[in-house]
Amino acid sequence: LFCLVRNISSTGVQLRIYARPQADADAALRVSDEPSIAGRIVWIDGDMAGMAFAEELDSSTLLRVRQKLTPNRRRGTPRVAVRATATI
């Protein structure tokens, strides 16, 4: 299901949902090119739902996922000033 991540921690995530999932169902969260994170839908309230992760996320995974969720994420490589001639 398509959803919007509202809050995320090492143990779970709060989601804004656009289609109603089944409560107490297995689920997986996929953010960008990260591997899927297995979990379970633990609550639903209107257009919000909570998912508990099957395993606690380690700090480096949580940091990477949070960075990919922020709208103004920084580029992975630094900018470098270059003077060069080009033909197009």
Side-chain angles (χ1 to χ4, degrees), residues 2-7 10 15 22 25 27 32 36 48 52 56-58 63 66 73-75 78 83:
F2 181 73
C3 62
L4 177 67
V5 174
R6 302 302 292 167
N7 296 305
S10 61
L15 306 165
Q22 185 174 340
S32 187
S36 295
M48 302 298 285
E56 189 169 338
L57 299 182
D58 60 76
L63 180 61
R66 280 187 176 162
R73 91 175 197 231
R74 297 183 145 213
R75 69 177 64 243
R83 289 183 161 260

Side-chain angles (χ1 to χ4, degrees), residues 32 49 68 77 80:
S32 187
K68 291 177 181 181
T77 56
V80 178

